[in-house]
Amino acid sequence: MIFAFFQNFWLEFLSPFIAIYGLLRLLNSNREIFFWTGFFIGILWFYWVSFSLIYFGFAYAIPLEILFFGFAYGIFFRICGHFKNLILRSVLLIGLAFFHPFSFNWLNLELILMPGIFEPDLRGISAVFAGICAFYYFKKFKILWIFVCLIFALQISQKNANFLPFEISLVTTEISQDEIWNKNNAILNVRENLHLIDEMIFKNKKVIVFPESAFAFYLNNENYLSEILKKKSEQITIIAGAEAYENGKIYNSAYVFDGGEMKRYDKFILVPFGEEIPFPDFAANFINELFFDGAPDFAKAKKISTYRLFDQNITSAICYEATRPEIYQNNPKFVIAISNNAWFIPSTEPFLQKTLIKYYATKSGATVYHAANFSNSEIITPKKMWIKEFLKKVKF
């Protein structure tokens, strides 16, 4: 998938074939190769997770966390390679997409089919592994068998993208994580946000969407600012990320100011080890006390948040939520997502996040309006058929 990182049309075409060749070499390898493959995939896929330790005062532990991911996924792959039967190995590798340790679901081999001509789903990846198995099980016409199976992996249809029927502005910010919670910077950011709102009102935009943590404080307790935003929302709908404090609990929230009113939509799916410790209370409390000065986990909403905007149904997603299948399970037409990627910059995390969002948009048909801090804000639509894009490019 590394070639797809460069956003080049022809490299995207080559990317899945290189990944398929890698799987072909892996599937018939010994158990030690399986371990080391998982080890380096764990490191290269997830090294960036450790960067957040800088902001908790544990920068020294970054190498240890990177190695943890390496050894964890090395063990997972080693288990997949424990059995010599290639079909069973294939099933177990495909099954990694359904294995979410601590509810963390970012490793999925279907993602290698996101660029290029293949369908990034269970059919596509199963056909790929069927071709690889055929290569080893049949003594004659090996390449032909792979070719036939890959035909069944081709993307044969695409979901048409839908777009909101009004002008919407997605704000991109570049506020580093060590500055975002500084009180002096927070005041400057408020002024800049209000200036942007006025600018979009002047340009007759209907909606402006700010990233997660655009207002770095408990916005529900800032009555003066809330009244200003309510007033401005009579001219433009404002969507912004900020925390909320209520009844002794902290929430990560998306605020919607519309028609002079303020509504809050709290995050439902929290980041494991970032916003919640996915252990029983006694263990979570011990870890929070030991590493986070006793700070409690974030509280969460009772369900996924949806709201109406100019007669359109909108599903709300905050950062990690936008990469979770639960957000897309009812095939929403529109998702408005907000993220703060400053935790992990510089790294490949924004690219992986975008790939996952596009993956779920492709499966569900959703159009995702994504506003982010420290990565591009953009509209993410379902994957288009590569062959159609090719024909347009060569003007057949």
Side-chain angles (χ1 to χ4, degrees), residues 107-128:
L107 181 66
N108 184 340
L109 291 183
E110 292 176 21
L111 295 182
I112 67 176
L113 304 182
M114 276 304 301
I117 62 176
F118 301 111
E119 189 75 59
D121 64 3
L122 186 59
R123 170 178 65 84
I125 198 66
S126 297
V128 165

Side-chain angles (χ1 to χ4, degrees), residues 167-171 196 200 205-210 236 371:
E167 289 289 324
I168 184 169
S169 174
L170 301 174
V171 176
L196 282 171
M200 292 304 108
K205 300 287 186 179
K206 294 294 184 183
V207 179
I208 183 170
V209 183
F210 289 94
I236 186 172

